[in-house]
Amino acid sequence: MPTKRLPLPKQVSVALTEEAYDRLRALNSDHGLSNNYLLTVLLSRLDDYADPDRLAWVFDDFISEYGAPSPGGMGARKPEKPDG
């Protein structure tokens, strides 16, 4: 019987800390899924395993320590300079 495969049409570049990458590689080793699949599972099923209040606290704690990107996000395009 053929295995059902999850289509991953959107590809994004992700920067990870060394610790996050090590944890992703450990999950890869344990479950045999690619990094893309692992991140898809973790994010698409986040509500299945993460307590919303605890998650909000984790984000608030991270932002208080490292700050947050400026409005528009890290991938926002810079406006072009006008001619002249």
Side-chain angles (χ1 to χ4, degrees):
M1 184 170 157
T3 302
K4 188 174 178 181
R5 185 160 175 89
L6 177 68
L8 298 175
K10 181 101 175 159
Q11 222 174 3
V12 296
S13 178
V14 177
L16 299 172
T17 63
E18 200 64 41
E19 179 186 358
Y21 187 72
D22 289 344
R23 293 188 74 181
L24 193 61
R25 297 295 298 160
L27 286 169
N28 181 299
S29 177
D30 291 345
H31 301 287
L33 298 173
S34 70
N35 292 349
N36 288 346
Y37 265 61
L38 289 167
L39 291 171
T40 298
V41 170
L42 291 171
L43 293 172
S44 65
R45 303 271 175 104
L46 187 63
D47 293 338
D48 293 344
Y49 63 88
D51 173 53
D53 293 331
R54 177 76 175 152
L55 187 60
W57 178 87
V58 167
F59 280 117
D60 290 344
D61 185 56
F62 184 90
I63 291 168
S64 71
E65 185 172 347
Y66 295 103
S70 59
M74 294 170 41
R77 295 181 65 187
K78 294 180 181 175
E80 295 182 22
K81 293 181 182 178
D83 291 335

